[in-house]
């Protein structure tokens, strides 16, 4: 699986020491992870390891073994079930000590904080600002559903009986606000029915529509769906680029220094430029190309 993961078109790979790793397998898994990180071959993927949460007895060994062994080849640690800012702070302190001891650049290793229970959600803003290492806030739907006693076993899908909206909207929005307020990435968690790609797309589509940056995949079969869902539609990407070009032209001397103009049937202004920038940035990051660029009117 690790060898195959190196070749797949995902933006990030995380190697798990937490819930996908049985307690008896954890000591060997730490060694496998260190060896795989040091072996390289990950291209430009972010290389992340999920350690166990601070309420277990495993966290400090996960961190020291992995970071001492492979810190030079590691981008972030993922901290699951974060409940308080202090838990992020504790990881920051431990990382700083290891970085100093090993001669790594201090602060190089980032933290991805997973919000997986009610306490974590209540404290999400403090968690987001607990350390400059925090890069990403992740929703952990499975643990979260268990933590709030949600009456369902199907992760990400609406709980049976709830037919008046999206049962995850409040949680997703809280995470998204904490991420956007602090310039962090917001990432949606796993969809466990790995053969149901339509189901994956449906659930991913909701967080993508709100503004989330991406979603976990558990299986190679989910990767194309994730890349597609979190990228703009081709027509929206082209429209966004056209808004940017048109707005730049019309606000210029040559374009008449106009702040609000018509682009087709639509009025565009500075706020349109900001919205367009979001879509164009996502499109450019996904390598999308323009087919029919806007051209200024003949002088
Ligand atoms: C992921 O860790 C989850 O609990 O959904
Ligand atoms: Mg979890």
């Amino acid at each position: 699986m690790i060898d195959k993961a190196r070749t797949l078109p995902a933006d990030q790979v995380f190697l798990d020491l937490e819930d996908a790793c049985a307690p008896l397998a954890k000591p060997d898994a730490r060694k496998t992870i260190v060896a795989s990180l040091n072996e390289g071959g990950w291209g430009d993927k972010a290389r992340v390891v999920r350690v166990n949460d601070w309420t277990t007895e495993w966290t400090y060994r996960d961190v020291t073994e992995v970071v001492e062994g492979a810190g030079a080849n590691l981008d972030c640690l993922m901290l699951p079930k974060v409940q308080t800012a202090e838990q992020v702070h504790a990881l920051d302190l431990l990382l700083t000590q290891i970085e100093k001891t090993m001669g790594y650049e201090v602060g190089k290793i980032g933290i991805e904080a997973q919000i997986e229970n009610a306490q974590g959600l209540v404290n999400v803003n403090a968690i987001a600002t607990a350390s400059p290492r925090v890069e990403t806030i992740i929703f952990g739907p499975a643990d979260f559903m268990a933590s709030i006693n949600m009456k369902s076993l199907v992760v990400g899908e609406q709980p049976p009986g709830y037919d008046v909206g999206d049962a995850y909207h409040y949680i997703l929005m809280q995470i998204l606000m904490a991420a956007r307020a602090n310039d962090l990435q917001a990432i949606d968690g796993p969809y466990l029915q790995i053969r149901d790609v339509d189901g994956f797309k449906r659930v991913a589509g909701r967080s993508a529509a709100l503004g989330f940056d991406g979603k976990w995949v558990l299986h190679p079969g989910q990767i194309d769906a994730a890349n597609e869902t979190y990228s703009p539609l081709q027509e929206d990407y082209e429209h966004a680029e056209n808004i940017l070009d048109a707005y730049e032209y019309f606000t210029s001397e040559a374009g008449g220094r106009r702040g609000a103009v018509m682009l087709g049937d639509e009025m565009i202004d500075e706020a349109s430029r900001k919205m367009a920038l979001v879509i164009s940035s996502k499109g450019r990051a996904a390598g999308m190309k323009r087919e029919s660029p806007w051209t200024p009117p003949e002088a």
Side-chain angles (χ1 to χ4, degrees), residues 18-19 50 80-81 114 116 140-144 216:
E18 202 222 16
D19 285 358
R50 180 165 74 164
K81 301 181 181 64
Q114 242 191 311
E116 308 201 73
D143 275 300
F144 204 102
W216 283 12

Side-chain angles (χ1 to χ4, degrees), residues 139-146 150-160 162 165-169 171-172 188-193 196 198-207 215 218:
F139 175 40
D143 275 300
F144 204 102
M145 290 166 74
M150 195 181 260
K151 207 173 138 209
S152 171
L153 284 169
V154 187
V155 172
E157 298 287 1
Q158 301 305 318
Y162 193 77
D166 179 359
Y168 304 94
H169 181 262
I171 310 166
L172 290 172
D188 195 2
Y191 186 73
L192 274 56
Q193 316 291 323
D196 182 1
D198 288 340
F200 177 95
K201 284 188 187 167
R202 190 174 55 246
V203 173
R206 294 185 192 127
S207 66
K215 182 172 177 67
L218 301 176

Side-chain angles (χ1 to χ4, degrees), residues 204-267:
R206 294 185 192 127
S207 66
L210 293 178
F212 271 61
D213 300 293
K215 182 172 177 67
W216 283 12
V217 293
L218 301 176
H219 186 272
Q222 296 177 322
I223 295 180
D224 287 348
N227 285 337
E228 186 190 309
T229 306
Y230 291 88
S231 303
L233 295 172
Q234 180 65 29
E235 65 185 86
D236 290 345
Y237 170 65
E238 300 234 9
H239 187 45
E241 294 287 14
N242 288 348
I243 290 174
L244 293 179
D245 285 354
Y247 187 73
E248 190 184 340
Y249 171 75
F250 285 118
T251 50
S252 73
E253 199 68 54
R257 300 190 226 157
R258 284 182 285 164
V261 288
M262 293 302 286
L263 179 65
D265 291 337
E266 175 189 28
M267 188 213 76

